[in-house]
Amino acid sequence: MTAPSPPPSGDFSTLFNFLPIGAYRTSPGGVMLRANPALVRLNGYQREADLLADVNRTFNGWYIDPDRRSAFRQLLNRDGFVRGFVSRVRPHASDQPLWVNENAHLVRDGQGQSLYYEGTVEDVTEQVRARDELQRSEEQLRLVTSQIPGMVFVVHVAPDGRRSYKFVSPGVRDIYGFGPEALIRDPMLLLRYRHPDDAALLERDLEMVSQRSADVGGEFRIVLPDGQVKWVFRRSCSVSSDASGYLRVGVLVDITARKQIEKALSESEKIWKLALQSAGDGVWDWNLQTGEEYFSPGIKAMFGFDDAELGNLASALDDRTHPDDVPQMTADRRAHFDGLAPVYRNEHRVQCKDGSWKWVLSRGMVIARDDAGKPLRMVGTHTDITEIKQAEAQQRALETQLRESQKMEAIGTLAGGVAHDFNNLLAAILGNLVLAREDVGEQHPAQESLTEIGRAAIRARQLVQQILTFSRRQTQEMQRQPLTPLVQEALGLLRSLLPAGIKLEARLTMVDLPVLADAAQMQQVLMNLCTNAWQSMEGRPGNITVVLREVHLDAAQALLLGDLPSGLYACLSVADNGSGMDLDTQRRIFEPFFTTKAPGAGTGLGLAVVHGIVKGHRGAIALESGLGAGSRFDVYLPLAGAGQALVCTTVHPGFPSTAAVAPGKHIVYIDDYEAMVFLVGRLLRKQGYRASTFGSGEEALDWLRAHPQEAVDLVVTDQNMPGLSGVDVARALAQERPGLRVALVSGEVSDTLLADAAAAGVTEVLGKQDSMDALGDAIQKLLDHRAGSAR
């Protein structure tokens, strides 16, 4: 049979193994699971595994009286515990019978199901033998006092203090080594054996005897001629008196063995307490009857107290326990006191001397109960787990940060995709609107309606631009530049826009803080944050504070802010003393279209745009707020090194018309959006070009291969298309028609796209144009540039 694994850390196995009496644990079916070293030795084994194997193989044979086993089981099943069950047994590996005292109880889980039995086995052979001896001697004690343990005496004390012993039992020999006759001859003999260090006790006893005290008693030491020291207990009282003096009767008992046991137990406690302290724990020892509790110096130091500064009462630490943790601590104690939990285990906060709070893991066990099972004494340890708790809190914060980041990325992806498609729809609307207005003429009654349509479409396009900025799909002009002038310029504009009653205070560092930033977008960030701040005042006067400073983020801070690299950052803070936000609002504040304003009072995109711009600048934004406590937004932007220059793409915005259209020029236009294909084709033809339009790159290539003699001056293709992308089309044309100019149009121009386009031979990369006129001007500019090169 394989021995079970040792119990897990935290089950008080140290005390289990150190107990001087046997202890065990068995399954509900009676299979022994654990046995401590004392029980192993009691049964004559060297190893726990050997004992468990024999016991579980042969259940019978332990009790000499076989009926005792069934009696034990009946009591345990009936009451759930057995106490003081004394039986004569035969140890498994020994033929020498023993008397043992057994205690056991059933441990149940929260649903009342039986988990296991725990118990102790104490060798009481000597006690039983002593009890039997005492019972045999009781009959004789009625006949002769000499059978009383120790020395029984009767002494007469004269008025002048002189003594004379009338009777001394033979027990005096066991204590002092001389017979009764010696003491009767020399009544002062006992006084000469007193230990010198107990002289003060001797003087007190003599004084009490001279005053005819009714009861004199106590413990003292004696020193025998051979140097042996013994402890003696004495009790005496006056029984009669007359003119000649008075009689006292008493007894002296040798208590040396008890004192030695007490000393051994005391030293044993010191050892296990030192052992626990050496493991880094503070030790406590609680007298549950008096409320006194010993706290080791380690516990006191843990909370910043010197040894004399913290009282030795359980209330000294209980009163410093965090109020929120007291109910659970009390419940965990009660569960252990009632036998529902084998050990006491609880985590709670304790206030230190300096006012700070520490988390401690408290573990303990009741080691003494009265006959009714009431706990009398409990010992245990305190372990500082503050760093573990802080790490757990940081882990939870990181997990929350990750979830929020993932959510915002998902929302951004969705919003960007929707906005991109919606942008194409608006391009078609605006383009056809221009053509329609030209078709109907300036005096047509429909011009008024077309104008309103145009205004609505422009507002929709502005909304789309905000969404694209939030989703970080808007193009950026990133340049290395100091942040302070950008902030100062935005604040100058902002002061003229803020309503009356709003005070704007700026505290800007004079240190140069170079960052890679899009100037317009960074000013938009500050404008949006300040606008949000004054709107939080809800019409009341208030203060807005803008602070710009340099900060260094260590690895932990950078990780909490969104997995940034550690290092130097510019921190732009916007704080207000407005109404503040609750936790639910703070969790959603950067979501697009989320707003706490009344319907029609805001789009809910202001802070979402800020979030998108900051993320696009490889930075992070943090929020601190509370209801009634105002809000503060902190924007972190990495400082740019001296070697960093313009790092992002420059988008061709559309060229103004500077030359007449060259008629007869042949342009191939490719786009997967049917409305754009129709619109651009119509625009180009209206401007005098020959236009061949296609809905996919594959369709355009097939046509070009089928018409090799057809001259083409320019190919304009969208980048993001199903099947072949614009770069794929350019690669194919470079093989089949070398030298043919190809222009690429994309709503998201990045460094990667520019590099791929250049490698494929693309002539120009154009951003999505704001109007069809801009696209037409850009195409005309490309054709004019080619003509100039030819000349």
Side-chain angles (χ1 to χ4, degrees):
M1 178 174 179
T2 302
S5 300
S9 174
D11 67 352
F12 223 76
S13 59
T14 301
L15 184 59
F16 176 84
N17 291 326
F18 192 77
L19 282 174
I21 64 174
Y24 65 88
R25 177 180 289 178
T26 66
S27 70
V31 177
M32 184 174 288
L33 305 174
R34 288 300 315 273
N36 75 339
L39 186 58
V40 173
R41 291 192 299 271
L42 184 146
N43 280 276
Y45 291 92
Q46 296 296 321
R47 299 187 312 131
E48 179 187 15
D50 297 333
L51 170 62
L52 296 180
D54 284 354
V55 169
N56 292 327
R57 182 173 61 250
T58 306
F59 287 103
N60 296 320
W62 167 256
Y63 296 104
I64 293 178
D65 180 357
D67 292 335
R68 296 296 286 170
R69 177 177 174 82
S70 60
F72 183 89
R73 298 292 297 180
Q74 288 174 0
L75 288 173
L76 193 58
N77 292 333
R78 185 190 69 188
D79 301 331
F81 64 88
V82 176
R83 296 192 181 93
F85 193 83
V86 179
S87 308
R88 198 158 184 248
V89 302
R90 181 177 289 105
H92 290 273
S94 172
D95 294 327
Q96 184 65 36
L98 298 173
W99 284 94
V100 296
N101 179 27
E102 296 182 81
N103 295 276
H105 68 278
L106 173 63
V107 179
R108 303 179 185 273
D109 62 17
Q111 287 72 43
Q113 298 296 315
S114 299
L115 295 176
Y116 47 79
Y117 296 102
E118 287 184 338
T120 60
V121 180
E122 183 180 6
D123 182 358
V124 294
T125 304
E126 293 300 322
Q127 294 93 316
V128 171
R129 288 174 180 170
R131 180 197 64 191
D132 294 342
E133 182 65 27
L134 180 60
Q135 290 174 349
R136 287 192 298 270
S137 66
E138 281 180 351
E139 184 65 22
Q140 299 177 15
L141 284 175
R142 287 192 294 269
L143 302 176
V144 289
T145 58
S146 61
Q147 297 301 314
I148 297 176
M151 164 189 156
V152 179
F153 63 90
V154 178
V155 62
H156 181 267
V157 182
D160 60 1
R162 286 182 296 109
R163 302 180 177 204
S164 60
Y165 282 91
K166 303 302 181 181
F167 172 80
V168 177
S169 71
V172 67
R173 191 182 306 276
D174 297 331
I175 300 175
Y176 290 91
F178 52 76
E181 299 80 7
L183 185 55
I184 292 173
R185 286 195 306 270
D186 183 0
M188 305 304 291
L189 183 59
L190 293 186
L191 301 181
R192 291 195 290 272
Y193 279 74
R194 279 285 184 110
H195 195 289
D197 292 345
D198 289 345
L201 293 176
L202 175 60
E203 293 296 330
R204 187 200 66 181
D205 290 349
L206 292 175
E207 179 67 20
M208 293 178 69
V209 169
S210 67
Q211 295 176 2
R212 299 189 182 187
S213 175
D215 194 357
V216 175
E219 300 174 354
F220 58 89
R221 287 166 292 178
I222 63 173
V223 181
L224 302 181
D226 62 0
Q228 182 183 1
V229 177
K230 287 186 177 182
W231 277 92
V232 178
F233 172 78
R234 183 186 69 170
R235 180 71 64 191
S236 70
C237 63
S238 297
V239 294
S240 65
S241 65
D242 55 25
S244 65
Y246 56 93
L247 283 177
R248 297 185 67 86
V249 297
V251 62
L252 294 178
V253 180
D254 184 353
I255 59 170
T256 304
R258 176 169 68 82
K259 284 291 186 178
Q260 290 173 342
I261 292 174
E262 290 177 353
K263 181 180 179 182
L265 287 175
S266 176
E267 292 177 349
S268 174
E269 285 190 359
K270 290 179 181 177
I271 291 173
W272 65 255
K273 286 178 180 178
L274 286 173
L276 288 177
Q277 285 182 225
S278 68
D281 295 327
V283 180
W284 49 266
D285 189 342
W286 185 10
N287 186 327
L288 297 170
Q289 292 179 295
T290 66
E292 295 176 296
E293 186 167 1
Y294 162 79
F295 299 112
S296 69
I299 284 185
K300 297 179 181 181
M302 185 186 302
F303 303 118
F305 293 99
D306 293 332
D307 195 36
E309 288 183 312
L310 196 66
N312 289 320
L313 291 173
S315 58
L317 283 188
D318 283 357
D319 291 346
R320 304 186 73 85
T321 300
H322 197 288
D324 294 347
D325 301 336
V326 171
Q328 186 61 51
M329 182 177 72
T330 303
D332 290 341
R333 285 178 180 174
R334 178 53 51 194
H336 179 56
F337 291 163
D338 294 344
L340 300 177
V343 295
Y344 164 68
R345 189 183 190 281
N346 177 261
E347 296 177 359
H348 58 271
R349 287 162 288 181
V350 176
Q351 190 172 35
C352 300
K353 179 181 177 180
D354 62 4
S356 63
W357 294 90
K358 276 192 176 181
W359 276 98
V360 295
L361 168 61
S362 183
R363 291 172 289 194
M365 176 178 285
V366 172
I367 62 172
R369 296 178 183 266
D370 62 15
D371 293 338
K374 179 181 177 181
L376 303 177
R377 183 184 176 195
M378 186 177 180
V379 297
T381 63
H382 278 335
T383 302
D384 185 351
I385 58 171
T386 305
E387 291 186 359
I388 296 175
K389 285 291 186 179
Q390 290 172 343
E392 291 175 352
Q394 186 179 42
Q395 178 67 22
R396 289 192 295 270
L398 288 173
E399 290 173 354
T400 300
Q401 180 76 22
L402 177 60
R403 287 194 297 270
E404 289 299 313
S405 176
Q406 291 172 337
K407 181 178 73 174
M408 294 302 292
E409 288 297 330
I411 293 175
T413 300
L414 175 62
V418 171
H420 183 269
D421 290 342
F422 194 48
N423 205 29
N424 286 336
L425 292 172
L426 287 172
I429 291 172
L430 289 169
N432 281 290
L433 180 64
V434 171
L435 296 176
R437 295 182 68 177
E438 292 179 358
D439 290 343
V440 301
E442 294 182 1
Q443 304 303 320
H444 197 280
Q447 283 288 356
E448 184 176 357
S449 297
L450 293 174
T451 299
E452 289 302 316
I453 293 173
R455 289 175 180 173
I458 292 298
R459 286 196 296 271
R461 166 150 288 187
Q462 292 170 348
L463 180 62
V464 168
Q465 295 305 312
Q466 287 184 308
I467 297 175
L468 287 172
T469 302
F470 159 73
S471 64
R472 303 191 294 280
R473 295 190 177 189
Q474 184 67 297
T475 54
Q476 297 172 316
E477 292 283 353
M478 301 286 278
Q479 294 182 352
R480 184 180 183 275
Q481 53 192 312
L483 188 57
T484 303
L486 298 181
V487 174
Q488 290 173 330
E489 183 179 346
L491 290 176
L493 175 62
L494 190 64
R495 283 190 172 91
S496 64
L497 299 177
L498 289 177
I502 302 299
K503 179 182 178 181
L504 179 62
E505 179 184 358
R507 296 199 296 268
L508 310 181
T509 179
M510 293 298 100
V511 178
D512 190 18
L513 297 179
V515 294
L516 287 172
D518 182 302
Q521 289 190 349
M522 289 314 304
Q523 290 179 337
Q524 184 180 2
V525 165
L526 184 57
M527 296 288 286
N528 285 10
L529 289 178
C530 289
T531 300
N532 185 76
W534 73 257
Q535 287 177 344
S536 72
M537 311 294 182
E538 298 177 344
R540 299 185 301 270
N543 298 325
I544 300 175
T545 303
V546 178
V547 179
L548 180 62
R549 66 191 189 280
E550 178 181 322
V551 297
H552 180 274
L553 298 181
D554 59 29
Q557 294 170 317
L559 186 62
L560 285 172
L561 284 169
D563 200 15
L564 299 177
S566 59
L568 293 175
Y569 284 78
C571 180
L572 176 63
S573 300
V574 177
D576 65 70
N577 60 350
S579 57
M581 303 174 232
D582 58 26
L583 290 177
D584 289 338
T585 301
Q586 292 179 50
R587 280 192 288 267
R588 301 188 60 193
I589 196 65
F590 295 115
E591 293 181 11
F593 306 111
F594 173 77
T595 179
T596 58
K597 301 181 181 67
T603 63
L605 280 172
L607 292 177
V609 167
V610 168
H611 184 275
I613 292 174
V614 173
K615 287 296 183 181
H617 283 69
R618 298 180 178 88
I621 184 168
L623 166 64
E624 281 192 19
S625 185
L627 284 176
S631 303
R632 190 185 81 232
F633 290 88
D634 295 321
V635 174
Y636 296 88
L637 299 175
L639 293 184
Q644 290 179 283
L646 185 63
V647 297
C648 201
T649 61
T650 301
V651 179
H652 297 277
F655 303 97
S657 293
T658 57
V661 172
K665 295 291 185 180
H666 186 192
I667 298 173
V668 171
Y669 182 78
I670 310 169
D671 199 312
D672 62 313
Y673 184 37
E674 183 179 354
M676 286 296 295
V677 172
F678 172 78
L679 177 63
V680 173
R682 184 180 174 193
L683 170 70
L684 293 174
R685 295 184 187 100
K686 191 170 184 179
Q687 290 185 346
Y689 297 110
R690 290 178 55 209
S692 300
T693 57
F694 303 94
S696 70
E698 291 85 348
E699 182 182 347
L701 289 173
D702 289 343
W703 184 87
L704 288 169
R705 292 180 184 123
H707 301 81
Q709 304 304 320
E710 186 73 32
V712 176
D713 296 283
L714 177 66
V715 174
V716 180
T717 176
D718 189 31
Q719 164 62 12
N720 298 314
M721 298 183 295
L724 294 178
S725 67
V727 171
D728 294 333
V729 171
R731 291 194 186 101
L733 290 176
Q735 295 292 327
E736 298 192 16
R737 292 203 179 190
L740 177 58
R741 292 174 64 82
V742 178
L744 203 64
V745 180
S746 176
E748 186 177 358
V749 180
S750 64
D751 290 338
T752 301
L753 177 59
L754 286 175
D756 291 344
V762 173
T763 306
E764 297 289 344
V765 177
L766 308 176
K768 287 283 187 180
Q769 305 303 310
D770 291 334
S771 67
M772 289 298 99
D773 287 342
L775 178 61
D777 290 345
I779 290 174
Q780 181 178 332
K781 183 66 177 179
L782 288 173
L783 291 173
D784 291 345
H785 177 73
R786 183 184 182 187
S789 299
R791 289 193 295 270

